[in-house]
Amino acid sequence: MEYQDLYDLHRQKLDKVHQRGHIMLENTYRIVIHVCIFNTNNKMLIQKRTAHKSSWPNMWDVSVGGHVLVNETSEAAAMRETKEELGIDIDLKNHCPILTNHFQNGFDDFYIVVKDVGEIKVQEDEVSEVTWASEQEILEMINCKTFIPYYTSFISLLFAMKDRIGLIQ
C-alpha cells in the first residue's frame, strides 16, 4: 500500500495522508511527478504502460510518471521513480520542476533531463517497453490514440523547453 501526503490548494502540506486507490478527501490534493528524458539527438525516451495499469493501460507516455509518497519531496520521488521504472539514475537535488500542472486532485510536477543513457532496465509490472521518439513521432502517436492524449502543444512545449530555463527567449 502506498500513502501520500495531502496538501491544500496552495500546496501547503496538511496533517493528513491519502491511501492510493481510495477516494480523495474534499479540498485536498496530492503530488505526482513526470520525468521527460531527452537524448542529445532531440528524442524523448517514452514508455509503454503495461496492460494491467488502472489508468491508460497499453498507452505510451513520457519517460517516467509516479506518485510522491509520504515524507518525500517531488525531486526525490522523480529520482526514485526513474530508478524503479527504468533503472536510470538521475540527479535532481536542488532542481525544481520545469513546470507544474494543477489537475482536479493534485499537482503534477514535470522535470526535464537531457542525458544519453546506457542500459535501460524496465520495471516489468509497470512498463512493457521503451523507445526513443521525436516530437513528430509522439504527435503522430497521440493522433493515432496510442499515446496518452496530452495536448499536442504541451508535447511541443516539452521539446522546446529541454534546453532552456524559464519562458522568455
Side-chain angles (χ1 to χ4, degrees):
M1 281 181 232
E2 291 183 344
Y3 291 90
Q4 300 168 274
D5 288 316
L6 290 176
Y7 299 81
D8 68 16
L9 182 61
H10 303 288
R11 203 166 167 155
Q12 298 300 307
K13 189 173 174 181
L14 303 172
D15 285 331
K16 299 175 183 175
V17 296
H18 169 73
Q19 184 178 349
R20 187 171 174 196
H22 287 77
I23 296 172
M24 296 281 295
L25 297 172
E26 191 171 335
N27 298 317
T28 61
Y29 305 87
R30 60 196 169 100
I31 300 174
V32 298
I33 59 86
H34 282 89
V35 179
C36 302
I37 301 173
F38 289 89
N39 64 20
T40 53
N41 294 323
N42 201 33
K43 290 192 172 191
M44 184 193 299
L45 184 63
I46 60 173
Q47 64 159 279
K48 188 172 185 184
R49 300 166 60 82
T50 58
H52 72 272
K53 296 292 282 184
S54 60
S55 60
W56 310 110
N58 287 319
M59 299 286 285
W60 287 92
D61 195 2
V62 299
S63 310
V64 174
H67 298 267
V68 177
L69 303 177
V70 169
N71 296 321
E72 187 176 45
T73 65
S74 172
E75 299 87 4
M79 292 186 294
R80 174 183 53 76
E81 288 284 355
T82 303
K83 182 67 173 177
E84 285 177 5
E85 291 185 10
L86 304 176
I88 299 171
D89 290 309
I90 60 170
D91 183 5
L92 295 174
K93 292 179 186 85
N94 301 315
H95 284 75
C96 58
I98 196 77
L99 60 90
T100 299
N101 177 55
H102 179 259
F103 63 97
Q104 182 180 358
N105 291 30
F107 305 96
D108 192 347
D109 289 344
F110 278 81
Y111 294 87
I112 291 179
V113 174
V114 178
K115 178 177 182 158
D116 285 320
V117 298
E119 181 182 355
I120 298 169
K121 185 176 181 194
V122 301
Q123 184 179 21
E124 293 178 0
D125 61 328
E126 293 209 25
V127 179
S128 62
E129 59 183 295
V130 295
T131 192
W132 293 96
S134 68
E135 178 181 352
Q136 189 58 44
E137 289 168 324
I138 294 172
L139 297 178
E140 289 170 12
M141 293 169 85
I142 291 171
N143 188 48
C144 293
K145 300 184 181 348
T146 59
F147 202 97
I148 291 177
Y150 294 105
Y151 290 109
T152 56
S153 57
F154 176 66
I155 296 298
S156 295
L157 178 63
L158 292 173
F159 274 83
M161 295 297 297
K162 75 172 193 60
D163 296 317
R164 295 172 180 81
I165 295 177
L167 297 175
I168 298 174
Q169 293 186 34

